[in-house]
Amino acid sequence: MALANLSRGQASAGAIGTRKAAPAVRRVACQAYKGDVEARNPFEKAAIGLATAAAVVMGTFAPLVAPAPADAILVSSDPVKNAAAILRNALPIENKPIRQIQKDLEGISEALRIPGSKSLGPVARAVRASQDVLTRQKDAIVKDFAPEKKAFGLANIEKLADSLTEFQAIVEAKDKQAVPLKQREALSYVGNIEEAMVKGFPFQVPKEYADRPLLLGRATLEMRVKCAQTPEGPQTFNQTIVLDGYNAPVSAGQFADLVARGFYDGMEVQRADGFVVQTGDPDGPADGYVDPKTNEIRRVPFEVRVQGDKEPIYDFTLEDLGRVNEQPVLPFNAYGTLAWARNEFENNSASSQVFFLLKESELTPTGSNLLDGRFAVFGYITQGQDALADFRVGDKIEYIKFVDGKDNLKNSS
């Protein structure tokens, strides 16, 4: 199964990978959903899962029913869909007071679904609870700061305190429209406080990949895309991307290295089908980035970290390992999830082609889909992701550049 490399010549047809493989994959996928999936043995189910996801990304198959439960990842009934929240949860920290503040403030989103001013009561309680924890347990928060990040952490505690005071005034004024903006601001300070608690790097990258470009932390990027046609006419969009090297240092590092080289600057959107937006196929016969030192395509090893694991898994998908029902730390839950494209059945074949997931479908319902653990996620669009819906094949990426975190990129020449 693959969201495999897409050449511009194949883009209009929606085909991915080897053209000859598409009809066979389509037949298998369609057969999978015409009959009794529940009667199939585990090996057949694995094959169905692979073929179905491959066919969907190829644009060759519209499923007749939802995936069989055995082929889906089983998670909580209310998975996190917000990219910034996923990234906060993915930080390798265990400070209970700041996590409680995070939980209270994130819960405001649910409260806002209550019609009218009735929602402001739960919002006010969440803000007061956050203020109380920040006041009473400030020392417990501060003691977990990494020494070199303590000043940064303390500055964000003060910003959070001020933000919560302003938040309380907004609630008292019953200004419901201002609540989401202030919530986002407060949570940004919470995220900064949590990042200040990360000490060093949480694990050793395997020796065979330690000399690759690595992102040992996080980096924030800005991507500007010029769209020739949208419902409002030609437009240029700026988007913010956060790369998570704490959980995908090799994947994020090799993408960050290409960004530093200007590899994507001036490149076109090469696929935009309502399911994904994909780019990264360079000019010429190569389907990936050719390393000038070796004159060979530089590949990216498959990398995924599972919740509860101390380090990522390399080279094998969760399906390969029989762990398909386990949840990655970086899931395909958010609109604008960023991951590597690769060839079918070749886990370590990614190079430069990447895709952004646009929306849920029958095969990618949030928290229960056929992509988690089979494709390597390494980042998310955290601002401006809605513009992905307007991207079309041929639209131009004017640039992707670093906003911060470039100093976390190692082994980049």
Side-chain angles (χ1 to χ4, degrees), residues 56-71:
V56 168
V57 226
M58 286 179 184
T60 59
F61 171 56
L64 303 179
V65 297
D71 295 323

Side-chain angles (χ1 to χ4, degrees), residues 125-299:
R125 288 192 290 274
V127 174
R128 286 197 301 270
S130 298
Q131 289 175 313
D132 182 60
V133 173
L134 188 62
T135 301
R136 290 190 301 102
Q137 302 192 54
K138 179 178 177 179
D139 290 345
I141 294 172
V142 172
K143 75 176 182 60
D144 272 359
F145 286 150
E148 70 278 11
K149 302 176 184 177
K150 187 173 181 179
F152 176 72
L154 288 171
N156 277 276
I157 284 180
E158 294 305 313
K159 291 178 181 178
L160 177 60
D162 291 343
S163 182
L164 291 174
T165 299
E166 295 166 2
F167 208 157
Q168 190 65 39
I170 287 172
V171 176
E172 290 172 357
K174 297 183 178 181
D175 187 356
K176 187 174 179 179
Q177 289 187 331
V179 168
L181 294 176
K182 186 55 68 172
Q183 177 201 28
R184 186 188 312 162
E185 178 190 87
L187 282 169
S188 70
Y189 298 140
V190 170
N192 289 342
I193 291 167
E194 292 173 341
E195 285 208 50
M197 294 176 176
V198 180
K199 302 174 179 68
F201 196 72
F203 55 85
Q204 288 280 341
V205 174
K207 290 182 179 179
E208 60 266 38
Y209 302 131
D211 62 347
R212 306 286 185 97
L214 303 175
L215 188 65
L216 302 182
R218 287 185 173 168
T220 302
L221 312 175
E222 179 181 282
M223 179 168 72
R224 175 172 290 181
V225 180
K226 186 175 184 180
C227 295
Q229 186 60 51
T230 75
E232 289 75 35
Q235 290 197 71
T236 299
F237 297 100
N238 287 357
Q239 298 172 308
T240 300
I241 302 171
V242 175
L243 306 181
D244 187 0
Y246 288 125
N247 294 288
V250 180
S251 296
Q254 294 205 203
F255 181 79
D257 176 68
L258 292 176
V259 169
R261 294 172 183 269
F263 177 84
Y264 297 99
D265 297 355
M267 189 169 284
E268 293 181 349
V269 171
Q270 295 154 357
R271 177 179 180 179
D273 55 11
F275 183 75
V276 300
V277 167
Q278 185 165 333
T279 192
D281 184 10
D283 292 330
D287 67 355
Y289 169 69
V290 177
D291 190 333
K293 294 180 180 179
T294 63
N295 290 321
E296 295 180 353
I297 294 177
R298 186 178 75 184
R299 298 297 179 184

Side-chain angles (χ1 to χ4, degrees), residues 20 29 41 90 99 120 157 178 269 280 287 348 405:
K20 293 181 180 178
N41 64 45
R99 287 300 197 192
L120 293 175
I157 284 180
V269 171
D287 67 355
N348 293 350

Side-chain angles (χ1 to χ4, degrees), residues 9 16 30 64 87 101 107 144 187 226 258 290 305 307 309 311 322 330 336 385 412:
I16 296 179
C30 290
L64 303 179
L87 288 164
I101 293 173
D144 272 359
L187 282 169
K226 186 175 184 180
L258 292 176
V290 177
R305 190 174 185 181
Q307 289 182 5
D309 285 5
E311 58 189 33
L330 303 178
Q385 57 266 53
S412 178

Side-chain angles (χ1 to χ4, degrees), residues 8-40:
R8 282 183 290 279
Q10 295 170 316
S12 60
I16 296 179
T18 304
R19 291 178 185 233
K20 293 181 180 178
V25 172
R26 182 167 61 251
R27 284 196 301 273
V28 174
C30 290
Q31 289 167 2
Y33 284 96
K34 282 183 178 177
D36 51 342
V37 289
E38 69 280 358
R40 301 177 185 274

